[in-house]
């Protein structure tokens, strides 16, 4: 948190409502796509205010952000403790650097105020004799953004980290308060507040917190370094993690996000090497940990198209190309998972980055597909729905999934399908052989699942959803796929067979057996997960709909 300034001598002439500026993240995109775009960042940190309360870690936050953007390939200008003239000069010089199509970041850490709905950045020499004086001495954020947008950058990201409390406690009236009003950004903009309305953003996690940065900055710097994670998903991950950390000190802080961005943008594109990570070879020979009772060989992973993210049409799900490879499928604990056997995926396979969402399903219905079926977004208990949008579609049967795929194929001109059971387990493992994707113990830091006794939702750690969570709320696996375990169970293409005897070794679906039932994989928000390993499988009749059932799609080249 940035501390609250005490602005003296604010008299009765100050009638407008003022509120301290929360952390604002505004992302503005244009349609330009130059052949060679530069990445530019201006980072400003103001601590040493002359007429209002000085700040403690605005400069440290700016330095950390500057280093993070340097690692991501940005040409960074770092400025500290800027007065009005210096701040204006910095902004003008930055504007002159920008060429059409460049990727541009502006980060400001310091004090800020909202006056009559307009946000202002405060230089270190700001005075506050009255409202008119504040307007004269501060820099209007809207003017800054309009000036930068005029340079027509391909990507403009403005991050403003400022105070949250009423900056005028001595005014003798309830002039201000915490939080900003709703930010209805135009198309191509994304707005993120560090805390929701009425909430205060944390500076530290207790008096003994040794970290020099505010909670938002420390989380943002970490999350932005995930290769292949889109910027919008980075922000959602930040939102979840900030909330989790705040709860550890009994504080309520849920960053509010307003997203109007079209398209997919990255700090680190799929396959990019993060500067803070150890280099990896192009061809990897992984000797994994041996799972219980299963003898394994090194997993051969080749690259080619692996890690590349594609979207075949605006309404199509985002896909990730997986590397070809081989793995040991199955386990020892349950009879229906035996025998463990080698499977080789020798062909290019693109898998849904996320399970299909309500947003994607509703596009199918609006487009005349999916048999016009609009699934409910709640369980059998009724009440208010849980929401749609980026939540996973639920209450869909295997037959329903086929209707979506038929529409998707017609829409895209491609051949989508459900994953085979073998492909699903290969994708879920993400190059590992542990019991779960992340290790041998179930963890709410990695998945959304229910209480230990079936059947109802549970929360804890990073898992703060009693019901379904927005897709991508937990870390991706080694292949860049989200929610392979947890959130919803997932339909696969295979007919049910009671074990793996006679199962294909080439990744193809089993088309014989009890085809009135289909194989369901994974676990969900609705039940326990302690024994539902990556190898866990279940049989469900193809016409059954349930509030814990969902699916993801796949296709092969071309």
């Amino acid at each position: 948190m940035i501390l609250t300034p005490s602005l003296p001598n604010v008299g009765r002439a100050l009638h407008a409502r003022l509120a301290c500026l929360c952390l604002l993240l505004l992302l503005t995109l244009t349609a330009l796509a130059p052949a060679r775009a530069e990445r530019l960042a201006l980072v400003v940190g103001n601590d040493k205010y002359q007429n209002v309360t000085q700040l403690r870690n605005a400069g440290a936050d700016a330095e950390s952000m500057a280093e993070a953007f340097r690692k991501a390939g940005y040409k960074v200008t770092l400025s500290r403790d800027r007065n009005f003239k210096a701040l204006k000069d910095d902004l003008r010089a930055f504007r002159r650097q920008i060429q059409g199509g460049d990727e541009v970041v502006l980060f400001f850490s310091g004090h800020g105020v909202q006056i009559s709905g307009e946000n202002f950045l405060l230089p270190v020499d700001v005075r506050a004799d009255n409202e008119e004086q504040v307007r004269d001495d501060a820099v209007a954020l809207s003017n800054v953004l309009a000036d930068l947008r005029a340079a027509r950058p391909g990507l403009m990201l403005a991050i403003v980290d400022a105070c949250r409390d009423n900056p005028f406690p001595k005014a003798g009236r309830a002039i201000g308060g915490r939080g900003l009003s709703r930010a209805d950004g135009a198309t191509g903009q994304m707005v993120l507040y560090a805390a929701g309305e009425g909430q205060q953003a944390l500076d530290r996690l207790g008096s003994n917190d040794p970290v020099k940065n505010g909670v938002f900055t420390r989380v943002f710097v970490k999350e932005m370094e995930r290769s292949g994670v889109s910027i919008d998903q980075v922000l959602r991950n930040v939102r979840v993690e900030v909330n989790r950390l705040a709860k550890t000190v009994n504080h309520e802080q849920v960053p509010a996000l307003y997203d109007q961005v079209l398209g997919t943008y990255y700090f680190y594109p799929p396959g990019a090497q993060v500067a803070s990570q150890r280099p990896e070879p192009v061809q990897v020979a992984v000797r994994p940990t041996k799972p219980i009772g299963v003898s394994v060989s090194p997993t051969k992973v080749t690259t080619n198209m692996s890690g590349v993210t594609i979207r075949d049409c605006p309404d199509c799900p985002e896909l990730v190309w997986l590397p070809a490879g081989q793995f040991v499928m199955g386990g020892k604990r349950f009879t229906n998972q035996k025998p463990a056997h080698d499977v080789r995926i020798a062909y290019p396979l693109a898998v849904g980055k996320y399970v299909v969402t309500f947003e994607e399903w509703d596009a199918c219905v609006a487009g005349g597909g999916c048999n016009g079926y609009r699934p409910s977004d709640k369980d059998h208990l009724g009440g208010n729905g849980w929401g749609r949008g980026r939540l996973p579609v639920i209450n869909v049967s295997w037959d329903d999934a086929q209707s979506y795929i038929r529409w998707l194929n017609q829409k895209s001109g491609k051949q989508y399908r459900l994953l085979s059971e073998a492909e699903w387990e290969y994708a879920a493992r993400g190059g590992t052989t542990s019991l779960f994707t992340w290790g041998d113990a179930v963890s709410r830091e990695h998945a959304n699942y229910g209480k230990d006794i079936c059947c109802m939702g549970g929360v804890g750690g990073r898992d703060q959803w009693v019901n379904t969570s927005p897709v991508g709320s937990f870390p991706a696996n080694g292949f860049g796929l989200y929610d392979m375990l947890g959130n919803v169970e997932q339909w696969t293409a295979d007919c049910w067979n009671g074990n793996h005897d006679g199962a294909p070794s080439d990744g193809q679906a089993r088309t014989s057996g009890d085809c009135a039932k289909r194989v369901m994989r994974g676990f969900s928000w609705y039940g326990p997960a302690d024994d539902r390993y990556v190898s866990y499988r279940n049989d469900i009749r193809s016409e059954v709909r349930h509030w814990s059932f969902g699916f993801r799609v796949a296709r092969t080249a071309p």
Side-chain angles (χ1 to χ4, degrees):
M1 182 185 80
I2 305 303
L3 300 180
T4 303
S6 297
L7 302 184
N9 303 320
V10 180
R12 295 184 179 181
L14 187 58
H15 296 294
R17 180 180 178 85
L18 296 93
C20 263
L21 193 65
C22 288
L23 175 95
L24 170 66
L25 175 60
L26 175 65
L27 177 63
T28 302
L29 305 172
T30 70
L32 296 177
R36 297 182 62 182
E38 284 199 76
R39 307 185 97 183
L40 306 171
L42 172 62
V43 178
V44 181
N46 281 354
D47 279 318
K48 297 179 180 179
Y49 283 87
Q50 300 166 13
N51 304 307
V52 299
T53 307
Q54 292 194 354
L55 303 179
R56 180 170 52 186
N57 63 345
D61 285 347
E63 290 178 354
S64 295
M65 284 288 196
E67 180 62 21
F69 285 113
R70 283 194 189 100
K71 290 180 179 179
Y74 289 80
K75 180 182 177 182
V76 178
T77 301
L78 174 61
S79 298
R80 294 287 305 275
D81 298 318
R82 311 306 280 174
N83 61 26
F84 179 81
K85 181 179 183 303
L87 181 57
K88 295 286 285 186
D89 288 344
D90 288 343
L91 291 167
R92 277 192 290 267
F94 187 53
R95 165 66 176 81
R96 287 194 294 268
Q97 293 181 51
I98 302 170
Q99 301 294 320
D102 286 347
E103 295 185 18
V104 174
V105 172
L106 169 67
F107 176 79
F108 177 88
S109 183
H111 284 313
V113 294
Q114 178 197 136
I115 303 175
S116 301
E118 187 172 8
N119 299 321
F120 291 85
L121 312 179
L122 304 188
V124 296
D125 58 348
V126 66
R127 294 170 294 169
D129 299 326
N130 50 53
E131 177 185 312
E132 183 178 358
Q133 188 69 64
V134 173
R135 286 181 177 273
D136 288 344
D137 288 356
V139 177
L141 179 61
S142 60
N143 292 342
V144 172
L145 299 177
D147 192 39
L148 295 179
R149 279 199 300 270
R152 303 186 71 192
L155 169 67
M156 192 182 80
L157 169 63
I159 309 170
V160 182
D161 188 356
C163 60
R164 286 96 177 130
D165 287 331
N166 180 4
F168 306 109
K170 297 180 181 179
R173 69 196 71 201
I175 297 175
R178 295 176 180 172
L180 291 176
S181 59
R182 178 180 176 85
D184 293 318
T187 299
Q189 295 183 339
M190 183 178 296
V191 179
L192 177 73
Y193 297 116
E197 187 175 358
Q199 297 176 348
Q200 183 179 17
L202 283 175
D203 180 29
R204 307 174 70 193
L205 293 172
S207 58
N208 296 322
D209 187 353
V211 182
K212 66 179 181 178
N213 296 125
V215 174
F216 178 87
T217 295
R218 71 182 74 171
V219 172
F220 187 94
V221 167
K222 179 180 178 181
E223 292 294 334
M224 74 170 283
E225 291 188 339
R226 297 184 185 275
S227 177
V229 179
S230 61
I231 289 177
D232 63 306
Q233 190 58 55
V234 167
L235 302 187
R236 288 177 171 82
N237 292 347
V238 168
R239 186 173 186 266
V240 171
E241 183 64 7
V242 167
N243 176 245
R244 186 190 70 81
L245 290 174
K247 286 184 177 297
T248 65
V249 292
N250 298 316
H251 184 79
E252 186 66 21
Q253 181 180 345
V254 182
L257 176 63
Y258 309 96
D259 184 358
Q260 295 295 322
V261 172
L262 302 176
T264 304
Y265 301 84
Y266 299 90
F267 291 121
Y268 290 91
Q273 181 178 304
V274 179
S276 60
Q277 296 175 345
R278 182 175 298 176
E280 297 180 354
V282 174
Q283 181 147 340
V284 184
V286 182
R287 187 169 295 278
T289 305
K290 186 171 76 173
I292 299 173
V294 179
S295 176
V296 299
S297 300
T299 301
K300 303 291 186 181
V301 180
T302 58
T303 52
N304 198 9
M305 293 188 295
S306 64
V308 175
T309 302
I310 60 171
R311 193 193 300 272
D312 292 321
C313 70
D315 292 327
C316 293
E318 195 171 0
L319 304 176
V320 178
W321 285 107
L322 270 53
Q326 65 185 36
F327 73 109
V328 177
M329 181 178 179
K332 186 177 181 181
R333 180 165 183 177
F334 296 103
T335 300
N336 69 15
Q337 300 171 18
K338 301 176 184 177
H341 58 287
D342 291 331
V343 174
R344 180 168 181 77
I345 308 296
Y347 46 88
L349 176 66
V351 174
K353 189 173 185 177
Y354 313 103
V355 290
V356 173
T357 64
F358 269 111
E359 179 179 56
E360 291 158 348
W361 183 278
D362 290 344
C364 172
V365 174
C370 293
N371 298 324
Y373 170 54
R374 182 176 167 84
S376 171
D377 61 343
K378 56 189 176 183
D379 61 16
H380 65 297
L381 298 177
N384 296 327
W386 306 336
R388 302 179 81 84
R390 297 295 288 170
L391 290 174
V393 66
I394 55 173
N395 290 305
V396 287
S397 67
W398 188 91
D399 297 329
D400 293 328
Q402 298 304 315
S403 71
Y404 175 82
I405 289 169
R406 286 192 294 272
W407 172 82
L408 188 59
N409 290 344
Q410 183 179 23
K411 178 83 172 177
S412 66
K414 305 293 184 179
Q415 291 299 308
Y416 284 83
R417 55 180 174 78
L418 292 177
L419 285 81
S420 72
E421 185 181 8
E423 290 171 340
W424 186 95
E425 186 168 330
Y426 177 68
R429 290 189 178 280
T432 70
T433 58
S434 48
L435 298 179
F436 300 96
T437 299
W438 51 84
D440 287 335
V442 68
S443 169
R444 293 192 185 275
E445 298 302 315
H446 293 273
N448 173 6
Y449 57 92
K451 291 188 175 181
D452 293 336
I453 300 176
C454 189
C455 291
M456 59 194 309
V459 297
R462 195 180 183 113
D463 178 9
Q464 294 299 307
W465 296 271
V466 175
N467 307 121
T468 55
S469 52
V471 297
S473 295
F474 296 84
N477 71 4
F479 287 161
L481 304 175
Y482 292 84
D483 298 321
M484 290 302 301
L485 295 177
N487 215 4
V488 291
E489 297 175 68
Q490 298 170 43
W491 290 105
T492 66
D494 295 55
C495 299
W496 175 253
N497 286 268
N499 55 48
H500 289 318
D501 283 334
S505 61
D506 59 358
Q508 300 305 301
R510 300 186 77 171
T511 57
S512 62
D514 185 353
C515 293
K517 297 179 179 179
R518 299 289 171 164
V519 178
M520 185 74 75
R521 299 299 298 256
F523 54 82
S524 78
W525 67 271
Y526 187 61
D530 56 339
D531 61 355
R532 296 198 170 193
Y533 310 144
V534 181
S535 56
Y536 180 86
R537 55 198 300 267
N538 195 11
D539 61 304
I540 303 291
R541 293 190 63 85
S542 66
E543 73 275 11
V544 174
R545 295 168 174 167
H546 195 270
W547 43 87
S548 66
F549 294 173
F551 66 99
R552 73 177 69 220
V553 296
R555 73 171 179 84
T556 52

